[in-house]
Amino acid sequence: MTDTTEEIVLGEVIPSTDMEAYRSTVPLWQRVWRHSLTQMMLLSVQAFCGPAMSDAIAGLGGGGLATPTVSNISTAIRYALLAITCGLGGPIVNKIGVKWALVIGSLSFPIQGSAYYCNSKFGNQWYLILSGAIGGVGTGCWYVAEAGAIMTLAPSRSRGKYLALWIVSRNLGQLVGGAINLSKNHVKGVSGGVTPDTYIAFLIIEALALPFAFLILPFERVVRSDGTRIVTSETLSTKHEIQRIVKTMTSKLVLLSALWAMWSFFYSGSWSTYLAIHFTVRARALSSLISPFFCIVGCFGLGFILDMKSLNQRRRAQLGLYTVVILNVAVYIWSIVMQAKFNRHDPGHIDWDSGVYPSSFLPYFFVQTTGPLSQSYMYWLLSSFATNAQDNVRNGAAFRCIEAVGQAIAYGMNSQTQADPLVGFCVTFGLLGAALIPMILLVNTTPDQIPADVIDGELDVADKKLEGTSIEPPVDSKGGRR
């Protein structure tokens, strides 16, 4: 048994464990492995190897192909099946556990890179389309597990910074992908797709996610940096899990955030098409290299706002929402104006030494920050309503499902309107406007303290009454919570 204390921050009672006793009884390597930041970093490495490499391929413009049509069709299928998998993902992940869902997803990551290689090397388009279907199912399992983990692992007052770390890892993947692409496609005047060897490098990185997935621990074995415990609920039957996910999908939390979820990644299809139509191969390569840099600053800046100790949780939620919306509105107005200008006067394929390159590239540069900010904020907000880790998995599954529906529609739409990204830009901007009022209503109901923290505090009080001045430690000798 270990003694506990209670930290009071802005009226919040946050139970904490005697970390000194924990450090004296558990070996250093186990403490490092169980640490919430370590687990978040392991998850971020997988995000770097998998989704980030996928984003890097998309950043080539149509997957780096001479025409983006096939890539858009493959990606639309991918996100359609991803949406279905995410819809059923809550029960699946809560049954098999986060670790094994991540393992299944990691196995599917290299398929995309290999499919683009086969397309580029042999002109094999059927495998590219099939890879979208396989990747949709595998990545769907991974996305649900990832969403539950990123909303659960962080201490209450560090969620913004933890989410920034995760978002940055995804964008660093695009940075590395851009460096690989630029090193192989820097010769001026090259047209068509990127070199086949480019996809070999992506394939190798995608394959590295699997060993890191095996290092993920169950939530009950994780020890947060502030000593607070992760609240978990008992395992439910498949029937009850399905009932819970249906309840989650029809809850006020999901219904009010649904349009925001659909909008949050809708921009990616339009911008992939924009790059493919208007930029040379080496200009796309340079764009994919430098676009993630500002995201690092932006994400940690938003994390600072969301973790401000001087404001309660509701005020931080409101301030974060207005920050994200204002930045996105500015970028979308700029992008619409730029594409309308291109529709009047076709600039041809823009190279990086062209005079119009800076003004045409900067909207893409900034949307690579404002888009991730929107997603990071939404996960922070969802975690503010959770009562336990399983709730985070279900909420994350619902959000991922709706988000994938939006991506499927976006890529499907762009496969039909590839000659004019302005349609995608306007639809995306309209979705933001439609999502704003429901989001304001939701944000204004944000609790001042995470319900899971309240429950954990009540459990500590109950334990003290039963056992005097001591309670159960966060982990027992075998690493599980008693």
Side-chain angles (χ1 to χ4, degrees):
M1 302 291 179
T2 59
D3 293 337
T4 62
T5 59
E6 291 181 346
E7 179 185 1
I8 301 178
V9 182
L10 285 177
E12 300 180 13
V13 180
I14 304 176
S16 57
T17 302
D18 185 350
M19 296 301 289
E20 184 176 345
Y22 172 70
R23 285 191 290 267
S24 66
T25 56
V26 179
L28 175 62
W29 70 269
Q30 287 192 27
R31 298 199 306 270
V32 173
W33 185 17
R34 296 175 185 175
H35 198 285
S36 57
L37 182 58
T38 301
Q39 292 293 303
M40 193 68 170
M41 291 174 67
L42 291 173
L43 194 67
S44 296
V45 170
Q46 295 171 62
F48 168 85
C49 295
M53 289 300 104
S54 179
D55 291 345
I57 291 174
L60 305 180
L65 302 174
T67 170
T69 302
V70 173
S71 179
N72 279 332
I73 292 172
S74 173
T75 308
I77 293 173
R78 171 186 173 89
Y79 284 114
L81 287 176
L82 192 149
I84 295 172
T85 305
C86 287
L88 302 172
I92 294 173
V93 173
N94 282 336
K95 276 290 184 181
I96 68 175
V98 167
K99 172 181 175 178
W100 293 109
L102 293 173
V103 169
I104 291 172
S106 296
L107 287 169
S108 72
F109 290 158
I111 293 176
Q112 184 185 30
S114 66
Y116 275 105
Y117 173 79
C118 291
N119 190 339
S120 180
K121 184 76 171 178
F122 310 112
N124 191 332
Q125 296 189 349
W126 69 263
Y127 181 40
L128 182 62
I129 295 174
L130 178 62
S131 74
I134 297 173
V137 175
T139 306
C141 290
W142 193 90
Y143 272 176
V144 173
E146 177 203 37
I150 62 175
M151 293 191 291
T152 300
L153 290 172
S156 175
R157 287 290 180 164
S158 299
R159 286 177 297 147
K161 297 181 184 67
Y162 271 58
L163 287 169
L165 173 65
W166 163 67
I167 285 288
V168 166
S169 70
R170 295 192 64 162
N171 281 268
L172 284 177
Q174 184 167 330
L175 187 152
V176 172
I180 294 171
N181 184 28
L182 184 61
S183 69
K184 295 180 177 294
N185 302 279
H186 60 277
V187 178
K188 185 173 183 178
V190 174
S191 60
V194 299
T195 62
D197 287 348
T198 303
Y199 298 110
I200 294 292
F202 287 136
L203 177 59
I204 293 171
I205 296 175
E206 287 173 329
L208 294 176
L210 183 59
F212 290 97
F214 281 106
L215 295 175
I216 296 296
L217 290 171
F219 290 139
E220 61 269 16
R221 296 182 62 188
V222 176
V223 180
R224 288 175 174 151
S225 56
D226 63 357
T228 56
R229 299 172 295 185
I230 294 177
V231 177
T232 58
S233 63
E234 62 181 13
T235 302
L236 301 177
S237 66
T238 301
K239 177 181 177 180
H240 286 128
E241 276 288 354
I242 294 175
Q243 290 173 345
R244 287 289 183 89
I245 198 66
V246 171
K247 183 178 180 180
T248 299
M249 292 294 290
T250 56
S251 67
K252 181 180 75 172
L253 176 64
V254 172
L255 292 177
L256 290 178
S257 63
L259 285 176
W260 184 280
M262 184 172 289
W263 161 77
S264 66
F265 249 129
F266 203 88
Y267 69 91
S268 56
S270 300
W271 281 106
S272 179
T273 302
Y274 176 84
L275 288 176
I277 292 174
H278 296 307
F279 292 80
T280 64
V281 171
R282 71 170 192 164
R284 291 182 233 163
L286 181 63
S287 299
S288 61
L289 172 65
I290 64 178
S291 59
F293 280 103
F294 191 63
C295 181
I296 297 174
V297 177
C299 287
F300 278 102
L302 179 64
F304 174 80
I305 292 173
L306 297 177
D307 290 340
M308 291 176 65
K309 299 188 187 308
S310 58
L311 300 175
N312 64 33
Q313 185 167 260
R314 183 175 301 173
R315 290 288 177 261
R316 285 179 276 140
Q318 293 167 337
L319 182 58
L321 176 66
Y322 297 137
T323 301
V324 170
V325 169
I326 290 171
L327 292 175
N328 272 284
V329 166
V331 170
Y332 281 117
I333 291 175
W334 189 348
S335 62
I336 288 172
V337 170
M338 182 59 62
Q339 183 57 45
K341 178 180 177 182
F342 286 167
N343 285 353
R344 290 194 301 270
H345 305 287
D346 187 356
H349 283 86
I350 302 170
D351 201 6
W352 68 42
D353 58 3
S354 169
V356 75
Y357 178 78
S359 60
S360 59
F361 164 69
L362 280 176
Y364 176 77
F365 176 78
F366 287 119
V367 84
Q368 293 303 307
T369 296
T370 60
L373 286 182
S374 309
Q375 299 139 29
S376 179
Y377 172 78
M378 191 65 228
Y379 286 116
W380 180 91
L381 184 66
L382 289 175
S383 67
S384 301
F385 290 85
T387 57
N388 54 57
Q390 284 75 14
D391 267 358
N392 273 332
V393 171
R394 297 183 191 103
N395 291 339
F399 183 77
R400 286 289 197 187
C401 175
I402 300 169
E403 175 189 277
V405 169
Q407 289 175 289
I409 294 172
Y411 279 98
M413 179 182 68
N414 281 283
S415 70
Q416 300 300 315
T417 62
Q418 57 177 293
D420 189 6
L422 182 62
V423 175
F425 292 157
C426 291
V427 170
T428 307
F429 193 26
L431 270 177
L432 172 58
L436 186 55
I437 293 178
M439 276 295 289
I440 291 174
L441 295 175
L442 177 61
V443 167
N444 288 340
T445 65
T446 306
D448 288 333
Q449 186 179 2
I450 302 174
D453 286 347
V454 175
I455 293 172
D456 203 8
E458 292 172 350
L459 290 174
D460 283 337
V461 172
D463 286 341
K464 285 182 179 181
K465 289 180 179 179
L466 290 173
E467 303 181 26
T469 59
S470 64
I471 70 161
E472 300 286 348
V475 291
D476 58 23
S477 59
K478 295 182 180 180
R481 182 174 177 180
R482 297 179 183 175

